[in-house]
């Protein structure tokens, strides 16, 4: 993307995030990654009359697994952590999520925006105030529920006991002290009780495995008891390849907490494309997480919700065509949102 155009979309983003004169904003990167993001955000910060600086961490020297979470690069760098705690906003171009350092920075009142997806996707899924309103309506409904049940024509039937962990919303910008968000994003989620998720989830061809950034090719049956996966196997008539890959990845962390159930929720962005993984040659799948009417469950850590599980093993799995009930109310009906206020304006009469 042309740098001038990227500058302008970063200005639009920081305007939504209420950056203004008198604030200080830090842009965080690692190694040589996303230097053009730092340039664009620093330009936008200056245009808004705020003070900005670029904090560049050393490139990571190693990683466990394809996408281990919680390694911020800040664990042994107190000077950097204190610098980030001192500002009003951090633009995170590294992915701090799940790390103790992120939680410490937020606790200091600093708001955080993660921006790591390819620039063309950031431009196409620019957040809007209307989308935020719809996301917050979904969050209100989810926060009041005591149970969530997910079903599908493929055999999924799983129930989450809710009410233990908070409900979080993501709508792609952040204008409140201590709040984290991710650009782009449009979904709501919470977590089941640690021992309160039971049933079967059947992944169908076309569902998505993140961080593999692949589409499921063969059915996978996942058995869950008391909040932990007890069995992963190929579905009827399946070669079992996807089940084997999923099992192998979790096993590679040598951490039984990797089988725990993490967050769960649904997406609301009608502009997102299900074929998004085929574009841009990179990214971490935020388009699929945000896809309108997808139901996504996650495996691994729940510490972003305040839970005790901080394993580095994490999967997000968006699924199409599922139905979701909160208590006795149908919220997602085979991939369509049933609550008119959560639908885009053009679909509210359906």
């Amino acid at each position: 993307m042309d740098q001038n155009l990227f500058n302008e979309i970063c200005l639009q983003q920081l305007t939504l995030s209420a950056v203004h004169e008198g604030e200080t904003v830090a842009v965080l990167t690692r190694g040589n990654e996303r230097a053009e993001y730092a340039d664009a955000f620093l330009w936008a910060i200056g245009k808004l009359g705020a003070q900005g600086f670029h904090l560049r961490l050393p490139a990571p020297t190693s990683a466990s697994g394809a996408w281990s979470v919680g390694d911020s690069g800040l664990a042994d760098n107190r000077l950097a952590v204190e610098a980030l705690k001192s500002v009003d906003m951090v633009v995170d171009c590294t992915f701090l999520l799940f790390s103790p350092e992120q939680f410490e920075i937020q606790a200091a009142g600093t708001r955080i925006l993660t921006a790591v997806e390819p620039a063309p996707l950031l431009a196409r899924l620019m957040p809007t105030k209307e989308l935020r309103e719809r996301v917050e309506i979904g969050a209100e409904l989810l926060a009041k529920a005591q149970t969530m049940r997910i079903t599908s024509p493929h055999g999924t039937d799983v129930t989450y006991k809710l009410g233990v962990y908070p409900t979080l919303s993501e709508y792609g910008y952040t204008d409140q002290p201590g709040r984290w968000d991710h650009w782009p994003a449009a979904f709501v989620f919470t977590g089941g009780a640690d021992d309160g998720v039971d049933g079967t989830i059947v992944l169908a061809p076309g569902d998505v495995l993140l961080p593999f950034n692949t589409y499921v090719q063969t059915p996978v049956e996942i058995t869950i008891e008391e909040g932990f996966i007890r069995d992963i196997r190929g579905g009827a008539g399946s070669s079992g390849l996807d089940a084997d890959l999923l099992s192998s990845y979790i096993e590679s962390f040598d951490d039984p907490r990797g089988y725990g159930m993490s967050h769960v929720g649904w997406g609301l962005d009608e502009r997102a494309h299900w074929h998004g993984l085929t574009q841009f040659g990179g990214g971490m799948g935020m388009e699929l997480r945000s896809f309108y009417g997808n139901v996504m469950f996650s495996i691994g850590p729940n510490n972003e919700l305040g839970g005790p599980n901080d394993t580095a093993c994490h999967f997000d799995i968006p699924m199409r065509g599922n139905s979701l009930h909160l208590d006795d109310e149908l919220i997602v009906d085979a991939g369509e949102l049933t609550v008119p206020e959560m639908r885009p304006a053009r679909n509210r009469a359906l």
Side-chain angles (χ1 to χ4, degrees):
M1 176 179 289
D2 175 77
Q3 187 67 40
N4 290 331
L5 178 58
F6 194 30
N7 289 349
E8 292 295 335
I9 69 166
C10 289
L11 176 60
Q12 187 176 346
Q13 162 59 241
L14 293 187
T15 300
L16 283 168
S17 291
V19 173
H20 59 270
E21 186 175 353
E23 286 201 311
T24 303
V25 182
V27 184
L28 179 67
T29 68
R30 294 182 79 169
N32 294 321
E33 294 180 346
R34 303 182 182 92
E36 70 278 17
Y37 287 46
D39 290 342
F41 277 112
L42 289 171
W43 177 87
I45 292 163
K47 291 290 285 186
L48 292 169
Q51 297 294 311
F53 64 88
H54 179 194
L55 199 165
R56 178 185 169 196
L57 300 175
T61 57
S62 63
S64 60
W67 182 51
S68 58
V69 296
D71 177 12
S72 66
L74 292 167
D76 298 316
N77 195 334
R78 292 307 308 172
L79 184 61
V81 172
E82 293 301 325
L84 297 174
K85 288 167 60 178
S86 73
V87 302
D88 297 289
M89 179 174 176
V90 171
V91 178
D92 168 28
C93 299
T94 69
F95 199 71
L96 294 175
L97 191 60
F98 300 105
S99 69
E101 293 77 32
Q102 178 188 326
F103 303 142
E104 183 179 349
I105 293 165
Q106 288 181 259
T110 299
R111 63 193 191 273
I112 301 175
L113 177 77
T114 295
V116 296
E117 289 282 22
L121 183 61
L122 298 179
R124 180 162 59 79
L125 298 185
M126 175 63 68
T128 68
K129 293 182 179 180
E130 185 265 349
L131 185 57
R132 173 181 179 170
E133 291 172 0
R134 293 194 280 123
V135 168
E136 290 182 331
I137 288 167
E140 290 175 6
L141 290 171
L142 182 54
K144 293 186 290 188
Q146 295 301 303
T147 62
M148 176 190 293
R149 183 184 179 198
I150 303 168
T151 61
S152 80
H154 309 287
T156 292
D157 194 343
V158 62
T159 300
Y160 287 72
K161 294 180 182 178
L162 307 180
V164 174
Y165 293 115
T167 292
L168 299 183
S169 60
E170 295 183 29
Y171 43 78
Y173 64 98
T174 180
D175 58 3
Q176 302 164 22
R179 187 180 183 278
W180 172 86
D181 213 311
H182 199 157
W183 178 26
F187 58 92
V188 296
F189 62 97
T190 188
D194 293 342
D195 60 353
V197 185
D198 295 276
T200 301
I201 294 177
V202 180
L203 306 184
D207 292 340
V208 175
L209 296 172
L210 304 171
F212 286 178
N213 282 19
T214 60
Y215 296 94
V216 171
Q217 302 293 315
T218 59
V220 180
E221 294 184 4
I222 301 172
T223 302
I224 304 148
E225 296 175 359
E226 297 183 339
F228 279 82
I229 294 172
R230 306 301 182 185
D231 186 54
I232 302 173
R233 66 178 64 189
S238 166
S239 67
L241 174 60
D242 287 295
D244 289 345
L245 291 173
L246 182 59
S247 296
S248 176
Y249 182 81
I250 298 173
E251 290 170 4
S252 72
F253 286 83
D254 193 26
D255 184 353
R257 300 174 305 161
Y259 292 93
M261 299 302 290
S262 183
H263 52 261
V264 62
W266 66 90
L268 292 101
D269 196 340
E270 72 283 0
R271 303 168 301 171
H273 299 153
W274 197 255
H275 66 271
L277 291 180
T278 68
Q279 299 178 295
F280 309 128
M284 58 173 295
M286 289 306 297
E287 183 163 17
L288 283 300
R289 293 174 174 90
S290 302
F291 182 81
Y292 180 82
N294 96 83
V295 173
M296 187 183 80
F297 80 101
S298 303
I299 300 169
N302 65 359
N303 56 333
E304 88 280 15
L305 293 166
N309 189 343
D310 62 355
T311 180
C313 177
H314 184 51
F315 260 98
D316 283 344
I317 305 179
M319 304 178 292
R320 290 185 302 174
N322 283 227
S323 296
L324 183 152
H325 283 80
L326 295 180
D327 298 330
D328 295 325
E329 183 178 359
L330 180 62
I331 300 297
V332 183
D333 184 8
E336 177 58 62
L337 299 179
T338 65
V339 179
E341 293 79 10
M342 281 196 293
R343 295 173 177 164
R346 66 174 182 269
N347 292 348
R348 290 184 183 175
L350 296 179

